Amino acid sequence: MKKTISFIIFVVAISGCSFRNETKTPHVGFLESFSLDNTIREMDKSGLEFRTGSMGSAGPPLKQRREFSVELTIPDAVKGTFQPKEFLDQLKSKIEQKLTNSGNRLTGQGYSNNSFYFNYESGSDVGGIDVTGNRTGDDRFLVWCVLRESSGGK
């Protein structure tokens, strides 16, 4: 009888271990962690002033989109040294670094005079980021960004 009770306790103990409720750390995609404003600030463009905006939306299940805009005011002291192409080249490098450092694999990219894009994937997440920058006046530069991400399927 003692052997039977010991055996039952042993089976229950093992069964309890296999049915434990293990909690998984929720995945945070690039879309949720990215900030255009913070990325530009990390570039250390001293002298530029920022006005920012951001909005997000969700489409059909598991698809998300966020838009960012950052308007830079270029004070007289830096007007002569601010080069839009150099600025966008540096921003492109910074975003590429953020994408790869967060575990994403780049699946496509492109660049033109005033815009660039990256497509990426990580596990079952796929996404893309498009960035455009334009002078909107002698002392203004607008950076606009759209970030799309879809989870759970390619």
Side-chain angles (χ1 to χ4, degrees):
M1 182 72 167
K2 281 186 177 183
K3 285 185 179 185
T4 305
I5 292 175
S6 296
F7 179 74
I8 292 173
I9 291 172
F10 175 74
V11 169
V12 170
I14 289 178
S15 299
C17 291
S18 65
F19 292 115
R20 269 188 314 190
N21 182 12
E22 294 184 24
T23 58
K24 290 185 177 180
T25 304
H27 173 74
V28 176
F30 187 72
L31 178 130
E32 295 167 0
S33 63
F34 179 76
S35 165
L36 181 62
D37 178 49
N38 289 342
T39 302
I40 291 173
R41 288 181 193 279
E42 289 170 10
M43 291 167 46
D44 192 28
K45 292 296 184 183
S46 46
L48 299 177
E49 299 168 8
F50 296 80
R51 271 195 359 210
T52 66
S54 171
M55 65 183 231
S57 64
L62 306 178
K63 290 187 180 180
Q64 296 181 325
R65 171 187 166 111
R66 286 181 66 195
E67 293 180 26
F68 303 88
S69 64
V70 175
E71 184 179 54
L72 304 171
T73 301
I74 307 164
D76 290 337
V78 294
K79 269 187 195 172
T81 60
F82 180 78
Q83 298 296 320
K85 183 168 178 359
E86 287 177 21
F87 178 86
L88 287 175
D89 286 345
Q90 188 178 358
L91 181 59
K92 179 181 180 285
S93 295
K94 192 75 170 166
I95 291 175
E96 181 175 11
Q97 178 185 26
K98 284 181 169 284
L99 276 165
T100 56
N101 287 350
S102 60
N104 294 294
R105 184 176 70 83
L106 296 180
T107 59
Q109 61 180 299
Y111 189 83
S112 72
N113 289 336
N114 65 340
S115 65
F116 61 90
Y117 76 90
F118 292 105
N119 292 327
Y120 63 90
E121 65 181 21
S122 177
S124 63
D125 293 344
V126 293
I129 183 168
D130 300 285
V131 179
T132 300
N134 285 305
R135 277 211 184 224
T136 57
D138 187 42
D139 66 342
R140 304 252 188 243
F141 189 77
L142 179 66
V143 182
W144 184 68
C145 170
V146 176
L147 181 55
R148 306 163 318 284
E149 196 166 277
S150 183
S151 298
K154 297 178 184 177

